[in-house]
Amino acid sequence: MAKILIVEDDADLVETYTDLLEINHHSVSSVTRAVDAFGLVTRFKPHIVLLDLNLAGYSGAIVISMIRNYPLLKQTKIVVITGHPEMLRGDPNAAHVDLILSKPISNERLLSVVDECLASAS
Amino acid sequence: MANSEITSDFIHLLRKFGHDMRVPLNTLISTSDMLVQGAYDALTPKQEKAATRLQRNSYRLLAILDDFVTYIKASEGELDISLKSFDIKEKLESWATPMKPILDSKNISLIIETTESAPMIVSDENLLKRIIQALLWNATSFTESGEIWVSAEYFPDSKWLIHIKDTGTGIPSQDLPHLFEPFWRGEARPQVPTAGAGLGLPLARVLAQVLKGEVKLEKTSSSGTHFCVELAVQPQTNL
């Protein structure tokens, strides 16, 4: 079982990911704005963050640097799931991401990515 | 010459694209409608929630596709106009109906007014509906309390002005230059899924131009936003 934080501004997509992950026995928290991720990520201490980039206000990229600058979250895997993977091109934050996936992502792929992240962390 | 060839090819491609997208979308919409209506047996509350999400996003995809194809066709002068006379107040009330559940949930009052003794408006009902609904969705999405005020003003033998004013938080100044750019996503975003995508305001503007009119941002501040649709008065028709 993994603790997974979803940072995604489409409420329906958050519900869909949450249903899929919870049905597969993972523990899920979610926020729709990058600014709300700051407090939650330090309390929830997720194993994996599923991160959208094109968010309202602050870009999802700011969440990457925040997690990587927080020592207690050193082991947290960051998986970017975006419709615009080119947004990270040339961004130094790209080097701190474990995986970049393009939307849409199949259920099978998402679950296997979660399994791979858990396996590589243990 | 080269441009018109490219345009013609592009429009043809878009029509094919639109048609090919509509076929699987039709299956998605019909199947999700039947699921929600219980045609495949009663659903558990969790299943019903998931089916409703599927249904909502099927219609959302259709709205995005429709907006996209309409935007391209309007930009290329490929959109047919069908003028007829109708009562603008009655239509404004009807066009605002889809927003009412969200307005009610936010406790936002909707006020619709027209100039007294205004004649029937002559316009393309479908295109004007899409313009007004795009502006209404925009106002609904970015207003958290207060009111949305829609008014149609008639200036004899000259023009119609349709105002949409809200008491939302206004548009950030850095977003203003991009307001009518297709698919521009600004600082402020709606937190609830609405019909369409990032084409609302650009589509409203290009459709108003098809009707020989204009959509203008009159004012925006921290206490609200005011858009105005200006349409030239067309000769009365018997249609």
Side-chain angles (χ1 to χ4, degrees), chain A residues 79-103:
Chain A
V79 178
V80 167
I81 307 179
T82 175
H84 304 276
E86 70 282 357
M87 280 177 74
L88 274 182
R89 207 171 289 145
D91 186 326
N93 283 309
H96 303 295
V97 164
D98 295 279
L99 199 56
I100 301 173
L101 301 169
S102 289
K103 287 176 183 165

Short mmCIF file of all heavy atoms in Angstrom, two decimals, chain A residues 79-103:
data_model
loop_
_atom_site.label_atom_id
_atom_site.label_comp_id
_atom_site.label_asym_id
_atom_site.label_seq_id
_atom_site.Cartn_x
_atom_site.Cartn_y
_atom_site.Cartn_z
N VAL A 79 5.96 11.84 -9.78
CA VAL A 79 5.55 11.43 -11.14
C VAL A 79 4.71 12.55 -11.73
O VAL A 79 3.63 12.86 -11.23
CB VAL A 79 4.74 10.11 -11.09
CG1 VAL A 79 4.27 9.73 -12.50
CG2 VAL A 79 5.56 8.99 -10.47
N VAL A 80 5.24 13.19 -12.76
CA VAL A 80 4.49 14.25 -13.43
C VAL A 80 3.55 13.60 -14.45
O VAL A 80 3.98 12.78 -15.27
CB VAL A 80 5.46 15.24 -14.12
CG1 VAL A 80 4.71 16.16 -15.07
CG2 VAL A 80 6.22 16.05 -13.08
N ILE A 81 2.27 13.96 -14.37
CA ILE A 81 1.29 13.49 -15.38
C ILE A 81 0.68 14.75 -16.00
O ILE A 81 -0.05 15.48 -15.33
CB ILE A 81 0.18 12.62 -14.77
CG1 ILE A 81 0.78 11.47 -13.95
CG2 ILE A 81 -0.73 12.07 -15.87
CD1 ILE A 81 -0.26 10.58 -13.28
N THR A 82 1.01 15.01 -17.23
CA THR A 82 0.66 16.29 -17.81
C THR A 82 0.22 16.16 -19.26
O THR A 82 0.63 15.23 -19.96
CB THR A 82 1.88 17.25 -17.72
OG1 THR A 82 1.57 18.47 -18.39
CG2 THR A 82 3.12 16.65 -18.37
N GLY A 83 -0.58 17.11 -19.67
CA GLY A 83 -0.92 17.20 -21.09
C GLY A 83 0.11 18.00 -21.85
O GLY A 83 0.07 18.10 -23.07
N HIS A 84 1.02 18.61 -21.11
CA HIS A 84 2.04 19.47 -21.73
C HIS A 84 3.45 19.11 -21.22
O HIS A 84 4.06 19.88 -20.48
CB HIS A 84 1.77 20.95 -21.40
CG HIS A 84 0.41 21.39 -21.82
ND1 HIS A 84 0.11 21.80 -23.10
CD2 HIS A 84 -0.75 21.47 -21.13
CE1 HIS A 84 -1.16 22.12 -23.18
NE2 HIS A 84 -1.71 21.93 -22.00
N PRO A 85 3.96 17.92 -21.60
CA PRO A 85 5.29 17.53 -21.09
C PRO A 85 6.39 18.50 -21.50
O PRO A 85 7.42 18.61 -20.83
CB PRO A 85 5.51 16.14 -21.71
CG PRO A 85 4.49 15.97 -22.76
CD PRO A 85 3.37 16.91 -22.48
N GLU A 86 6.15 19.25 -22.57
CA GLU A 86 7.17 20.21 -23.04
C GLU A 86 7.39 21.34 -22.02
O GLU A 86 8.39 22.05 -22.08
CB GLU A 86 6.79 20.79 -24.41
CG GLU A 86 5.60 21.75 -24.44
CD GLU A 86 4.24 21.06 -24.37
OE1 GLU A 86 4.20 19.81 -24.35
OE2 GLU A 86 3.22 21.77 -24.32
N MET A 87 6.44 21.50 -21.08
CA MET A 87 6.59 22.57 -20.07
C MET A 87 7.83 22.40 -19.21
O MET A 87 8.33 23.36 -18.64
CB MET A 87 5.35 22.62 -19.16
CG MET A 87 4.17 23.34 -19.78
SD MET A 87 2.73 23.27 -18.69
CE MET A 87 3.20 24.44 -17.41
N LEU A 88 8.31 21.15 -19.11
CA LEU A 88 9.50 20.91 -18.27
C LEU A 88 10.79 20.96 -19.08
O LEU A 88 11.88 20.85 -18.50
CB LEU A 88 9.39 19.56 -17.57
CG LEU A 88 8.61 19.55 -16.24
CD1 LEU A 88 8.63 18.17 -15.63
CD2 LEU A 88 9.17 20.56 -15.24
N ARG A 89 10.66 21.15 -20.39
CA ARG A 89 11.86 21.18 -21.22
C ARG A 89 12.70 22.40 -20.83
O ARG A 89 12.21 23.53 -20.82
CB ARG A 89 11.46 21.27 -22.71
CG ARG A 89 12.48 20.67 -23.64
CD ARG A 89 11.95 20.58 -25.06
NE ARG A 89 10.91 19.57 -25.21
CZ ARG A 89 9.87 19.70 -26.03
NH1 ARG A 89 9.71 20.76 -26.77
NH2 ARG A 89 8.97 18.73 -26.11
N GLY A 90 13.96 22.15 -20.48
CA GLY A 90 14.84 23.26 -20.11
C GLY A 90 14.64 23.73 -18.68
O GLY A 90 15.32 24.63 -18.21
N ASP A 91 13.68 23.15 -17.97
CA ASP A 91 13.42 23.53 -16.58
C ASP A 91 14.33 22.69 -15.68
O ASP A 91 14.29 21.45 -15.76
CB ASP A 91 11.95 23.27 -16.25
CG ASP A 91 11.56 23.79 -14.85
OD1 ASP A 91 12.40 23.73 -13.94
OD2 ASP A 91 10.41 24.22 -14.69
N PRO A 92 15.14 23.32 -14.83
CA PRO A 92 16.03 22.54 -13.95
C PRO A 92 15.27 21.56 -13.05
O PRO A 92 15.82 20.56 -12.59
CB PRO A 92 16.76 23.60 -13.13
CG PRO A 92 16.06 24.89 -13.38
CD PRO A 92 15.29 24.77 -14.65
N ASN A 93 13.98 21.83 -12.79
CA ASN A 93 13.19 20.92 -11.96
C ASN A 93 13.02 19.54 -12.59
O ASN A 93 12.74 18.56 -11.90
CB ASN A 93 11.79 21.51 -11.72
CG ASN A 93 11.82 22.62 -10.68
OD1 ASN A 93 12.35 22.42 -9.60
ND2 ASN A 93 11.29 23.77 -11.03
N ALA A 94 13.17 19.47 -13.92
CA ALA A 94 12.99 18.19 -14.62
C ALA A 94 13.95 17.14 -14.10
O ALA A 94 13.62 15.94 -14.05
CB ALA A 94 13.16 18.39 -16.12
N ALA A 95 15.13 17.56 -13.69
CA ALA A 95 16.15 16.62 -13.20
C ALA A 95 15.74 15.98 -11.88
O ALA A 95 16.29 14.95 -11.48
CB ALA A 95 17.48 17.35 -13.04
N HIS A 96 14.77 16.58 -11.19
CA HIS A 96 14.37 16.08 -9.87
C HIS A 96 13.07 15.28 -9.91
O HIS A 96 12.49 14.98 -8.88
CB HIS A 96 14.22 17.26 -8.90
CG HIS A 96 15.46 18.07 -8.79
ND1 HIS A 96 16.62 17.57 -8.26
CD2 HIS A 96 15.73 19.34 -9.19
CE1 HIS A 96 17.55 18.50 -8.32
NE2 HIS A 96 17.04 19.57 -8.88
N VAL A 97 12.63 14.96 -11.13
CA VAL A 97 11.39 14.22 -11.30
C VAL A 97 11.74 12.77 -11.61
O VAL A 97 12.69 12.49 -12.33
CB VAL A 97 10.58 14.85 -12.45
CG1 VAL A 97 9.49 13.93 -12.94
CG2 VAL A 97 9.99 16.19 -12.01
N ASP A 98 10.98 11.83 -11.06
CA ASP A 98 11.27 10.41 -11.31
C ASP A 98 10.72 9.94 -12.66
O ASP A 98 11.31 9.07 -13.29
CB ASP A 98 10.69 9.56 -10.17
CG ASP A 98 11.40 9.88 -8.86
OD1 ASP A 98 12.50 9.33 -8.65
OD2 ASP A 98 10.90 10.72 -8.09
N LEU A 99 9.58 10.51 -13.05
CA LEU A 99 8.97 10.06 -14.30
C LEU A 99 8.07 11.17 -14.83
O LEU A 99 7.41 11.87 -14.06
CB LEU A 99 8.13 8.81 -14.02
CG LEU A 99 7.75 7.90 -15.17
CD1 LEU A 99 8.98 7.41 -15.93
CD2 LEU A 99 6.95 6.71 -14.65
N ILE A 100 8.06 11.32 -16.16
CA ILE A 100 7.14 12.29 -16.79
C ILE A 100 6.23 11.50 -17.74
O ILE A 100 6.73 10.82 -18.64
CB ILE A 100 7.90 13.39 -17.57
CG1 ILE A 100 8.84 14.15 -16.63
CG2 ILE A 100 6.92 14.35 -18.24
CD1 ILE A 100 9.76 15.13 -17.33
N LEU A 101 4.92 11.58 -17.50
CA LEU A 101 3.96 10.84 -18.32
C LEU A 101 3.01 11.83 -19.01
O LEU A 101 2.68 12.87 -18.44
CB LEU A 101 3.12 9.90 -17.45
CG LEU A 101 3.90 8.85 -16.66
CD1 LEU A 101 2.98 8.17 -15.64
CD2 LEU A 101 4.50 7.81 -17.60
N SER A 102 2.59 11.47 -20.22
CA SER A 102 1.63 12.32 -20.95
C SER A 102 0.21 11.83 -20.71
O SER A 102 -0.04 10.62 -20.70
CB SER A 102 1.91 12.25 -22.45
OG SER A 102 3.11 12.91 -22.74
N LYS A 103 -0.72 12.78 -20.55
CA LYS A 103 -2.15 12.43 -20.46
C LYS A 103 -2.67 12.12 -21.85
O LYS A 103 -2.23 12.77 -22.80
CB LYS A 103 -2.94 13.60 -19.89
CG LYS A 103 -2.74 13.84 -18.42
CD LYS A 103 -3.52 15.09 -18.02
CE LYS A 103 -3.29 15.42 -16.55
NZ LYS A 103 -3.72 16.77 -16.20
#
